Amino acid sequence: MLHQNCDRDSNQSYSPMLQFTSRFLKYFLLAMFGVAIAYVLSMIFGILPIAFRLIPFIWDVFWRVGILLLCLMAIVAFLESLR
């Protein structure tokens, strides 16, 4: 066996918690990117008053979800280190 695969073995898959957290991170970043694009488009088309009214709501949602995501990542790192 000269070539050894560095990937996980077939009987060792990633934990469901790690898969959920990585998927949650992916969609969180996609949502942030989408909001940034929508904000730029609202500036281009001159719909800034509507965007300015939505910014506090979006900020409240994103920082709370971001803190939740950080906690999930810490929990997953801890659980994966125990494995």
Side-chain angles (χ1 to χ4, degrees):
M1 295 188 87
L2 294 174
H3 177 69
Q4 291 180 348
N5 195 354
C6 294
D7 295 332
R8 291 188 175 220
D9 297 329
S10 60
N11 60 354
Q12 282 185 323
S13 63
Y14 293 109
S15 69
M17 184 79 164
L18 179 64
Q19 291 175 352
F20 171 74
T21 304
S22 63
R23 189 170 294 134
F24 188 44
L25 175 65
K26 177 177 78 171
Y27 289 123
F28 178 71
L29 294 175
L30 281 173
M32 286 181 62
F33 185 68
V35 167
I37 289 175
Y39 184 73
V40 169
L41 287 176
S42 71
M43 287 175 50
I44 290 171
F45 293 122
I47 313 173
L48 275 170
I50 295 172
F52 283 142
R53 278 187 245 137
L54 290 177
I55 287 175
F57 170 73
I58 292 171
W59 174 251
D60 284 344
V61 170
F62 274 137
W63 81 263
R64 287 188 172 119
V65 172
I67 295 294
L68 176 70
L69 184 60
L70 283 174
C71 292
L72 272 175
M73 289 188 325
I75 291 168
V76 166
F78 178 73
L79 291 177
E80 285 293 316
S81 70
L82 291 177
R83 268 176 63 160

